[in-house]
Amino acid sequence: MTENPFLILTDEPVPDSRVRVDDVVAAGRARVRRRRGVVAGACAALVVLVTLAGVAAAVRPPHREPANPDPTPVPSVSAHPSGCTVAAVDVGGEFGATYTDPSGRYIVYTRAPDPGRLVLYRDGAVVRQYTSGERFHTAALNTAGTVVGSLGKDAFRTTDAGTVVTLPRPAGALGVSASGINAAGDIVGEASMPGKKFRAVLWRHTAPDVPVLLPTPSGTSSSADGITDDGRVVGNLDQGAVPYLWNADGTGVALPTPPGMPGGVPLEIAGDWVTGLVNYLSMKDFDPATGRRTGPGNPKPARWHLSAGTVEVLDARDVFNGSGHIAADGTMVIDRFTDAALWSGGALTPLPAPPGYGRLEITSISADGRVLGGAAIKESIGSIEPFRWDCRR
């Protein structure tokens, strides 16, 4: 590669609710051969806080955060006033998406140009590799190192034996994808149904061969994106029309959105915090081939505090839509066109870039906010390489 694929991402359409970082990177690599783009300048962040009466009572109180083993330090190549250090991770080739588990001990990389290869690290060392005849779309992994995602039109999970297991489809489903997993191994995702409809689906670790469709209001579609250790699930109804939470008992409640910013897509949940997008109904077009919301729009990164029943919006033009990832204390890591930064509701704190590298793309954060996985771009040749950030906050 001789050009920077992230330079063109300002011209990419806003991703739908099934945001896949490696798909965006792949699109960038294809389009960079045709033209270069110009990124937006940095701008100030504006925080909007909204409270919806009654939501706090409808959700569960904060649960105890899981124990987070102190990750084994890796050699740092730079230090930064943020308290974070950054170190390269050698995956033996180019890569796609990068994810860490809630403890920060495991990190998984999708290898390229081998489309069907995953490399799993624990405490900085390779512990397992997986291969497939199709390209992996990784979505999440848990504290046991189990990886979930999609292969073609099916969902998958990895095993300790070094194999990949396809998850069964619900009756009548045309395809499934997995997007979240908890410590016990419960997996959530989405089933594509006839008529361009979608349903949130759960595979319980106690009965992995019996997929369960989550309760969904009559006449609507649903999708699930994240699950906690106590069984709460976040997702949305009708392709982002309503941000939604399922409690462990199956009851559901809509999450609040700010005035004038209807629609939302929660993407991750950690502790009592959820991150995703609001103002999702600004995307008014549907792709008739897929039944998904698409086209131009102006979704905004946001975070929900479940027990407080609040939603906050990060209103910054230089933020990638769908780029936020969240820790159990509410700290988010945000990808911007100029850099990546931590956000806790106040000022943004930029993360360090390795010497000789420019833009960053952070794709995951551990539950305690101390380990981040992602990539850095070498501007001189446009290469994209994986890195790990250790933040002693």
Side-chain angles (χ1 to χ4, degrees), residues 41-241:
C43 67
L46 174 65
V47 179
V48 180
L49 176 64
V50 177
T51 303
L52 182 67
V55 172
V59 300
R60 290 177 175 267
H63 65 282
R64 180 176 298 176
E65 297 175 15
N68 296 303
D70 190 28
T72 300
V74 293
S76 68
V77 295
S78 71
H80 193 266
S82 66
C84 301
T85 58
V86 56
V89 179
D90 182 11
V91 298
E94 294 183 20
F95 78 104
T98 305
Y99 295 91
T100 180
D101 80 297
S103 75
R105 297 190 65 193
Y106 286 96
I107 297 180
V108 64
Y109 295 90
T110 305
R111 280 273 301 275
D114 308 339
R117 184 180 297 273
L118 291 179
V119 182
L120 181 67
Y121 288 74
R122 182 179 61 216
D123 299 331
V126 176
V127 292
R128 202 165 292 113
Q129 297 191 40
Y130 301 88
T131 59
S132 170
E134 296 185 83
R135 181 184 174 198
F136 284 106
H137 292 284
T138 54
L141 72 158
N142 66 5
T143 52
T146 302
V147 184
V148 298
S150 303
L151 282 169
K153 293 184 177 182
D154 286 297
F156 78 87
R157 65 175 176 87
T158 61
T159 71
D160 291 341
T163 60
V164 175
V165 175
T166 299
L167 300 175
R169 302 178 184 180
L174 305 178
V176 287
S177 61
S179 53
I181 183 173
N182 64 12
D186 299 319
I187 300 168
V188 293
E190 177 189 84
S192 300
M193 308 301 288
K196 303 296 188 296
K197 298 294 184 180
F198 306 93
R199 285 293 302 274
V201 62
L202 166 68
W203 292 270
R204 293 190 176 95
H205 75 281
T206 53
D209 294 329
V210 184
V212 177
L213 296 178
L214 293 179
T216 299
S218 178
T220 63
S221 292
S222 61
S223 179
D225 284 284
I227 182 170
T228 61
D229 291 349
D230 63 9
R232 291 171 296 166
V233 176
V234 291
N236 69 89
L237 305 180
D238 277 350
Q239 286 294 296

Side-chain angles (χ1 to χ4, degrees), residues 251-332:
T251 58
V253 59
L255 297 180
T257 56
M261 293 187 179
V265 179
L267 294 171
E268 292 184 8
I269 182 169
D272 202 40
W273 293 90
V274 176
T275 184
L277 299 170
V278 293
N279 200 36
Y280 210 73
L281 292 186
S282 63
M283 298 170 59
K284 300 181 184 301
D285 298 334
F286 280 89
D287 181 351
T290 64
R292 296 194 186 279
R293 197 176 299 275
T294 185
N298 191 30
K300 299 291 186 181
R303 68 175 184 176
W304 288 266
H305 193 190
L306 296 181
S307 61
T310 59
V311 58
E312 295 171 276
V313 178
L314 179 62
D315 192 4
R317 288 176 297 171
D318 62 336
V319 174
F320 282 133
N321 287 318
S323 68
H325 305 276
I326 199 160
D329 65 355
T331 299
M332 290 178 61

Side-chain angles (χ1 to χ4, degrees), residues 5-6 8-9 12-13 15 19-29 135 320 361:
F6 285 170
I8 57 80
L9 291 182
E12 290 295 323
V19 175
R20 285 174 171 164
V21 173
D22 44 351
D23 284 343
V24 176
V25 173
R29 285 172 172 155
R135 181 184 174 198
F320 282 133
E361 180 171 355

